Amino acid sequence: MRLRSLGVALAAMAALLALPTVHAPAAQAADTLLSQGKTATASSEENGGTVAANAVDGNTGTRWSSAFTDDQWLQVDLGASATVSQVVLNWEAAYGKDYKVQISANGSSWTDLKSVTGGDGGNDTLAVSGQGRYVRMQGVHRATQYGYSLWEFQVFGTTSGTPPVQGGGDLGPNVIVVDPSTPNLQAKFDSVFAQQESAQFGSGRYQFLLKPGTYNGINAQIGFYTSISGLGLNPDDTQINGDVTVDAGWFNGNATQNFWRSAENLAITPSNGTDRWAVAQAAPFRRVHVKGGLNLAPNGYGWASGGYIADSKIDGTVGPYSQQQWYTRDSSVGGWTNGVWNMTFTGVQGAPATNFDSGPYTTLDTTPVSREKPFLYLDGSTYKVFVPAKRTNARGVSWPANAGSSIPLDQFYVVKAGATAATINQALAQGLNLLFTPGVYHLNQTINVTRANTVVLGLGLATLVPDNGVDAMHVADVDGVKLAGFLIDAGSVNSDTLLRIGDPGSTADHSANPTSMQDVFVRIGGAGPGLATNSVVVNSNNVLIDHTWLWRADHGTGVGWNTNRADYGLRVNGNDVLATGLFVEHFNKYDVYWQGERGRTIFFQNEKAYDAPNAAAITHDGVVGYAAYKVADTVTNHEAWGLGSYCNYTADPSIVQSNGFQVPTGSGIKMHDLLVISLGGMGQYAHVVNNTGSPTSGTSTTPSKVTQFP
């Protein structure tokens, strides 16, 4: 508590005794006091007795006071958007001489309603006009040596009449919550698997949530659009003595189409010592403790094309066997037996050493920047979402230390069947986060994420489908948005951009708190005709792209060179963007086009569009074929490790693509461990990168490599 002179203290007491109860004047009688009892926050609080909430409690005997510096603020969340007509500030003796009253729809972008200069304290009643959810007093200059201090901060106005969206609630019918005593538990797993095993383009979506405890004798087979997760704060809180299995019996032992499924936040003691996780793209294995070995190939060792492991501990040996490419990040393994073409490791204890000249391995000791995916867990009987903290130069798993923060479920709009884009946007405008329960959601307007630190989390591969050509989601150029665990499926009318992160021309520095997208997948076609000029455009700086599969479909329905036209997979305009685990395939033009400076990619897997009708259709600027990974000619600094591109020109096997990778040359450009492959002689590459690297040859399916460029 600060000590003041006796004269100042007596003056403050006299002011308190003389203060009348503050009401809106008669001219505003139709308006309502909106701020009382609502959530208030502040830039600082002088001590525990002068907290922000005191300024909106209706009691003129309690107050908020700040630290003894300028540029302090107090804001109130009205709980819903409102038309604000009047603000009343009841100052204590430490008042603001110069200050602003501001309003915001999202708590991050502010508009001035009124500027006051030369204020004399006491009771300031200000007529204003504005629309928003958050109202703030922004102090500019103090009148005394102390801070800013308000007995009451009152906001008057009217709401739109639309009731606020409520946070929290149940998780819907497709989230299956179990514990070790759940009757017929094996039958529940078997029933969902029977439905989802071969439902590659079906509409079913399921999430199994396992409460902490020990589960004996379980074999959870995981099919399409099915996720299994533990509800503990740590993986070892949920123990499975049994198996979590992905195999390829549905596709005659070929695992190259085992997409769209996940396992997360649990421990497995495999029944025969080794768990099987034979997957392809979009099948993350996160935050899992395998108390044994892990087999990444299907039964019979058929073809496999995955995959991604992060924040996991495998006590035994990982056997990729027939897996053609794999990326493992911030984990530990007891051993790694082999690899086919492109196996990349960063921050992995026990990883094999780099041997790309003669083998498939690219290994970095640490991961430059990483942040693990948010996840749902139980705190007692209360659902919360844990948001892990950013790590720099990480090595090994993040748990059980668990640096980060928790958000109660009542701060999320739990999106369920029947939700509209308008309601989703209203929830975001209120300051709620989003938790999409398993389902398919059609959008007739763009989802706009405008508030810093918003979490958008999907369960069970929740799927967003933009209708009538709208974009699916835009994220403002703000700090710390977390996008995770959902699929965007292009609609039948062309969208310009399915996911945009940051507004065009974004310049803010987000290095301290970057936005991230993790296990966010995009599909154009396959489930039906889909069209989108751009899949993902990143305009913000410092974004973390951690495991994505952007796929223009090469099979399914609605597939054809123009039927599911999609020119670009990923376009990066922001600076200092890092991609870890980048899978982008089959786009009509560039799969990746990178224009931002100081970009970095660790692991890239690509196949060029199978259905290019002929060389003329993909020839541009005198070059045959669009590079899989193009760094713009204007870029002066870029670095990448472990990149592979494969061609399978089934429509015209005579196509000879100029190169897989195209980058400027200069001291700031560093490309490590690149390869190109002709899949069985269906088309060829003339070079690996620019005009460097041997051509692919014949039907041998042998990589052509460049270990360092330039």
Side-chain angles (χ1 to χ4, degrees):
M1 177 65 74
R2 64 177 183 256
L3 298 176
R4 301 186 181 188
S5 68
L6 179 60
V8 171
L10 290 174
M13 180 59 72
L16 171 61
L17 294 174
L19 284 172
T21 302
V22 178
H23 298 285
Q28 300 293 335
D31 288 344
T32 303
L33 176 58
L34 303 174
S35 54
Q36 191 162 306
K38 297 295 176 35
T39 300
T41 54
S43 54
S44 65
E45 294 169 337
E46 182 185 353
N47 57 64
T50 60
V51 296
N54 290 351
V56 294
D57 62 1
N59 182 352
T60 54
T62 62
R63 63 185 174 90
W64 161 73
S65 59
S66 74
F68 299 174
T69 61
D70 280 322
D71 295 320
Q72 303 292 330
W73 52 262
L74 171 79
Q75 73 183 47
V76 59
D77 177 358
L78 302 179
S81 182
T83 300
V84 175
S85 59
Q86 182 174 263
V87 175
V88 177
L89 302 94
N90 190 344
W91 293 103
E92 194 246 0
Y95 62 91
K97 180 181 178 183
D98 302 328
Y99 64 91
K100 297 178 180 179
V101 174
Q102 300 174 315
I103 196 165
S104 172
N106 53 35
S108 59
S109 301
W110 296 89
T111 299
D112 292 347
L113 292 178
K114 184 77 70 173
S115 293
V116 174
T117 57
D120 57 3
N123 195 15
D124 289 346
T125 300
L126 307 176
V128 297
S129 178
Q131 180 80 27
R133 171 173 171 167
Y134 302 85
V135 179
R136 177 165 73 176
M137 186 287 298
Q138 174 66 64
V140 178
H141 295 114
R142 296 164 292 147
T144 72
Q145 63 186 346
Y146 305 110
Y148 297 84
S149 183
L150 284 163
W151 297 110
E152 284 293 295
F153 182 57
Q154 296 180 311
V155 179
F156 293 84
T158 57
T159 60
S160 64
T162 303
V165 176
Q166 297 301 310
D170 70 90
L171 299 176
N174 293 339
V175 175
I176 303 167
V177 183
V178 301
D179 62 43
S181 65
T182 297
N184 303 314
L185 180 53
Q186 184 63 54
K188 291 181 183 294
F189 288 120
D190 292 346
S191 176
V192 171
F193 181 67
Q195 177 181 321
Q196 298 300 115
E197 180 184 10
S198 59
Q200 181 172 178
F201 298 111
S203 59
R205 303 287 186 273
Y206 293 94
Q207 171 78 57
F208 283 97
L209 296 177
L210 279 60
K211 292 182 179 180
T214 300
Y215 298 77
N216 292 315
I218 293 298
N219 181 17
Q221 298 186 80
I222 306 301
F224 285 101
Y225 313 109
T226 305
S227 298
I228 183 170
S229 306
L231 282 172
L233 191 56
N234 283 292
D236 288 334
D237 296 338
T238 304
Q239 299 277 344
I240 296 177
N241 293 322
D243 299 279
V244 175
T245 302
V246 177
D247 206 343
W250 75 278
F251 201 44
N252 300 316
N254 180 344
T256 58
Q257 293 183 23
N258 280 350
F259 314 136
W260 304 307
R261 62 199 76 198
S262 68
E264 181 176 6
N265 197 37
L266 42 78
I268 306 166
T269 302
S271 56
N272 69 352
T274 300
D275 195 61
R276 186 184 302 277
W277 186 257
V279 298
Q281 291 82 2
F285 196 80
R286 287 186 180 269
R287 202 177 168 83
V288 178
H289 185 187
V290 180
K291 298 181 176 182
L294 186 64
N295 185 343
L296 303 179
N299 185 29
Y301 302 97
W303 290 345
S305 181
Y308 176 90
I309 294 171
D311 203 28
S312 293
K313 182 178 182 181
I314 294 91
D315 294 344
T317 297
V318 179
Y321 304 113
S322 55
Q323 278 288 352
Q324 296 162 348
Q325 65 273 320
W326 201 275
Y327 174 55
T328 307
R329 177 182 64 71
D330 298 358
S331 296
S332 70
V333 298
W336 194 278
T337 55
N338 76 312
V340 179
W341 293 330
N342 184 16
M343 303 272 150
T344 302
F345 308 83
T346 63
V348 179
Q349 297 164 339
T354 294
N355 71 344
F356 198 78
D357 282 321
S358 58
Y361 300 144
T362 300
T363 300
L364 282 68
D365 191 57
T366 61
T367 305
V369 183
S370 55
R371 182 172 60 206
E372 299 309 326
K373 172 183 170 288
F375 61 91
L376 190 69
Y377 77 103
L378 276 174
D379 183 1
S381 60
T382 302
Y383 284 109
K384 294 181 178 178
V385 170
F386 190 79
V387 182
K390 186 186 76 169
R391 304 172 77 191
T392 55
N393 298 316
R395 180 172 171 81
V397 299
S398 68
W399 45 273
N402 282 324
S405 59
S406 292
I407 305 174
L409 191 63
D410 63 9
Q411 294 182 25
F412 284 79
Y413 173 43
V414 179
V415 188
K416 288 177 283 196
T420 66
T423 303
I424 292 167
N425 279 326
Q426 183 185 346
L428 289 167
Q430 288 177 204
L432 292 173
N433 304 287
L434 299 179
L435 180 70
F436 283 93
T437 65
V440 178
Y441 300 92
H442 284 264
L443 309 173
N444 62 1
Q445 59 181 254
T446 302
I447 296 174
N448 290 299
V449 181
T450 59
R451 179 177 58 87
N453 301 309
T454 299
V455 175
V456 180
L457 178 62
L459 300 178
L461 278 296
T463 302
L464 312 181
V465 183
D467 292 331
N468 302 317
V470 303
D471 292 357
M473 184 179 294
H474 290 170
V475 178
D477 187 34
V478 295
D479 275 356
V481 172
K482 290 91 179 172
L483 310 176
F486 57 90
L487 168 66
I488 300 175
D489 200 358
S492 59
V493 179
N494 188 71
S495 297
D496 179 77
T497 303
L498 294 174
L499 171 61
R500 191 184 76 194
I501 299 176
D503 303 315
S506 294
T507 59
D509 181 348
H510 303 292
S511 56
N513 185 15
T515 283
S516 56
M517 57 175 286
Q518 301 176 282
D519 304 345
V520 174
F521 310 123
V522 168
R523 178 173 68 199
I524 299 99
L531 295 163
T533 303
N534 305 286
S535 287
V536 176
V537 174
V538 175
N539 294 314
S540 287
N541 297 328
N542 313 105
V543 170
L544 299 178
I545 304 170
D546 179 41
H547 188 226
T548 187
W549 185 39
L550 313 180
W551 184 58
R552 176 182 168 266
D554 61 278
H555 62 271
T557 59
V559 172
W561 183 246
N562 290 310
T563 306
N564 63 328
R565 179 86 191 183
D567 285 351
Y568 301 99
L570 173 67
R571 300 189 68 157
V572 179
N573 301 316
N575 296 328
D576 302 292
V577 171
L578 171 64
T580 52
L582 185 57
F583 300 74
V584 189
E585 297 187 306
H586 308 309
F587 287 85
N588 295 78
K589 293 185 178 179
Y590 292 116
D591 297 282
V592 172
Y593 188 77
W594 206 297
Q595 291 182 281
E597 287 288 352
R598 297 176 300 281
R600 291 176 291 180
T601 293
I602 302 173
F603 183 86
F604 172 68
Q605 185 270 327
N606 166 264
E607 288 180 353
K608 293 304 302 172
Y610 293 177
D611 55 352
N614 48 56
I618 54 173
T619 297
H620 62 100
D621 306 311
V623 176
V624 179
Y626 289 86
Y629 189 103
K630 162 73 173 176
V631 179
D633 297 342
T634 56
V635 172
T636 60
N637 190 296
H638 189 91
E639 191 164 13
W641 299 258
L643 281 66
S645 178
Y646 322 136
C647 72
N648 186 36
Y649 284 122
T650 55
D652 182 358
S654 70
I655 293 173
V656 179
Q657 167 129 355
S658 294
N659 49 48
F661 307 93
Q662 188 176 353
V663 302
T665 57
S667 60
I669 306 296
K670 299 176 182 178
M671 307 294 286
H672 314 270
D673 296 357
L674 314 177
L675 63 83
V676 294
I677 298 171
S678 167
L679 298 180
M682 303 299 284
Q684 303 291 338
Y685 292 89
H687 302 285
V688 179
V689 52
N690 294 2
N691 293 318
T692 300
S694 301
T696 54
S697 57
T699 61
S700 63
T701 314
T702 300
S704 294
K705 294 182 177 182
V706 169
T707 56
Q708 183 74 31
F709 183 85

